[in-house]
Amino acid sequence: MRLGGSILLGLMLMSAPALAAPDSVGEAAEAFGVAVTSSDLKQLRSVLPEQGRVRLKLVHFGPEDGQFSAGQVEAILKDFLANGSVDSFQIVRIEGDDRNYGMVIGRAAVIDRSGRPRRVGLLLSFQPESGRWVLREIKETEE
């Protein structure tokens, strides 16, 4: 019986979708969007850094302002998603040199913690780390 459970677990793990490392700034921004709109923050891990911190300047998603570890960023967004939601995320523009940095201007439709619909502008900054693009800043901007 124990062997059967191990085989079943192995089959389930093999059929689970792998979190692909984003090869471009656009893919990294899309991964961020999928994570927050689906409330599946496990997907966010593919774009969170293993080293260093992420700068947050959040009003509706927070409020938070400062430098945070990857685990703290995940916890902050999880806390927001416990009472609010992100209905949509759209990439407006991508800038950068495709080697050292990338910046994404985005737009999100959110339901804030008070239940009010909001349009939020987002600036997402990315840098390469170990062959993938990782978040270095999430900043809310005027919409």
Side-chain angles (χ1 to χ4, degrees), residues 19 31 35-36 38-48 74:
L19 298 177
V36 295
S38 69
S39 297
D40 182 6
L41 294 181
K42 285 182 259 170
Q43 303 240 1
L44 188 64
R45 293 177 189 156
S46 70
V47 297
L48 288 175
E74 191 174 346

Side-chain angles (χ1 to χ4, degrees), residues 11 16 31 37 39 45 49 53 63-64 66 73 95 115 122 142:
L11 290 173
T37 57
S39 297
R45 293 177 189 156
R53 298 200 173 266
E64 294 295 342
V73 171
E95 300 175 1
L122 290 171
E142 292 296 320

Side-chain angles (χ1 to χ4, degrees), residues 60-80:
H60 302 292
F61 282 88
E64 294 295 342
D65 188 359
Q67 302 274 341
F68 299 90
S69 70
Q72 290 171 316
V73 171
E74 191 174 346
I76 289 165
L77 293 176
K78 183 178 180 179
D79 183 54
F80 166 76

Side-chain angles (χ1 to χ4, degrees), residues 85-106:
S85 65
V86 181
D87 293 335
S88 67
F89 173 78
Q90 175 186 9
I91 296 172
V92 176
R93 188 171 69 243
I94 300 173
E95 300 175 1
D97 67 4
D98 292 327
R99 288 187 315 270
N100 301 309
Y101 77 97
M103 183 175 65
V104 173
I105 310 296

